[in-house]
Amino acid sequence: MSAPASAPASQVVAIVAFDQVQLLDVTGPAEVLTTANLHGGAYDIRIVSPDGADVRTSSGVRVGVDGDGDAVPPRVGTVLVPGRSDWRRAVHDAELIAFTSRLAGRARRVASVCAGAFLLAEAGVLDGRRAATHWRLAPELAAAYPAVTVEDDPVFVRDGSVITSAGVTAGIDLALALVEEDHGADVARDVARELVVFMARPGGQSQFSARLGPVSARHPAVRAAMDAVACDPGAASDLDAVARAAGVSARHLTRLFRAETGMTPGQYVESVRLEAARALLEGGAEPVESVAGSAGFGSSESMRRAFQHSLGVAPSEYRARFRTTGAGRSERPRGARAGRSALPAGLPRAPALSRP
């Protein structure tokens, strides 16, 4: 796994391991960095745990470690902190937090994957910084650590020498960014091609997040307005009409809506339309133009703008990603010739990695 012993300390990557850590949080970045070594990199990867003992991951797979903190030089290039799904157990492990804090203090840069952001926050590394974590955990990180500015959409966020990434596989995106920073876009692109992953993942986390779900409201006027929107989201663009259905003025309805839901009536209408469109794109075969009409958007262009603004992808791209896995398909990629190896469809070939 490791680069030659002569690798400089700036290329040493210490990956923190502990019981119930998510396996891919550890192995995903490690695979990216070791693959980079085949293309000119010189990373020396050391997996370390607080007591130097091997760990059992959340999937039950045991991971061997190289030792404790003494297994890495006094100064290291990168400390990478993975997470575990039960982040509360992790942050209450005083030995683990102290170990993370000591290693972070010895590093040129510090990174986390998924719930690893909670360990960095508990160790004080994220105080006053912007950070990312899994979209499902973002509200919990913000509530537990108010000194951290949590961003719930980017796949990863860099604030100075600290980089935090979203859930699980986003650790691969993060590691590719580190490779690009250290060795340039060409090497990072070679690694992406080798591993058959995107150089830069299209869109943010919003496209993967759970459905909006029912928004509750106590005020009868707001409930009446919601009912009116649900009955005909296409006609709900007229705020005055919705307000009349609710029996209040448009201005009063806007105030009530903000107080009850945190949204304006217009934002709620768009969210209802967006959820309807997502369901239709995932579960049906209607053309995009028909989906736009069925979901209440005035046109496919209006729906495209809403998708780009909220999810970071176009409706057609969203359907392609979430309608089916394509399991069992064996068609030749469009444009590929027999006897020639082709990059997977959609794999970026030229653009450099962009950072949120």
Side-chain angles (χ1 to χ4, degrees), residues 8 17 23 34 38 54 59 76 81-82 84 110 114 125 135 137 147 150 165 169 173-174 203 221 253 294 297 315 343:
L23 178 62
T34 54
L38 303 177
D54 294 351
S59 61
V76 297
V81 182
R84 60 176 287 179
V110 180
C114 196
V125 176
W135 59 264
L137 299 176
V150 180
S165 69
T169 59
D173 301 73
L174 168 67
L253 179 63
S294 299
F297 290 99
L343 287 175

Side-chain angles (χ1 to χ4, degrees), residues 192-311:
R193 287 174 172 154
E194 185 82 18
L195 297 179
V196 199
V197 297
F198 282 109
M199 174 75 163
R201 187 188 304 232
Q205 291 196 78
S206 299
Q207 61 187 304
F208 302 100
S209 62
R211 288 289 183 264
L212 177 68
V215 178
S216 60
R218 292 172 296 177
H219 198 287
V222 178
R223 290 200 301 269
M226 288 179 169
D227 290 342
V229 170
C231 287
D232 191 357
S237 57
D238 186 343
L239 175 59
D240 289 330
V242 175
R244 283 195 297 273
V248 295
S249 69
R251 179 177 295 182
H252 188 44
L253 179 63
T254 299
R255 286 198 297 267
L256 290 172
F257 236 91
R258 282 190 181 280
E260 293 275 324
T261 69
M263 294 185 282
T264 66
Q267 289 170 331
Y268 179 75
V269 169
E270 181 165 296
S271 71
V272 170
R273 292 174 179 170
L274 193 64
E275 292 305 307
R278 288 173 71 169
L280 290 169
L281 289 169
E282 292 173 10
E286 288 184 74
V288 170
E289 292 76 11
S290 299
V291 169
S294 299
F297 290 99
S299 66
S300 58
E301 177 59 22
S302 296
M303 184 170 75
R304 186 194 67 79
R305 287 197 299 267
F307 267 69
Q308 289 286 5
H309 179 262
S310 297
L311 307 181

Side-chain angles (χ1 to χ4, degrees), residues 17 71 111 131 141 159 165 171-173 185 191 204 207 213-214 225 230 233 246 283 313 325 337 352:
L141 181 63
D159 190 325
S165 69
I172 293 173
D173 301 73
V191 174
Q207 61 187 304
V313 294
T325 62
R337 297 180 181 176

Side-chain angles (χ1 to χ4, degrees), residues 141-163:
L141 181 63
Y145 301 96
V148 182
T149 300
V150 180
E151 300 189 9
D152 59 5
D153 186 51
V155 174
F156 63 90
V157 168
R158 175 159 199 158
D159 190 325
S161 61
V162 179
I163 313 102

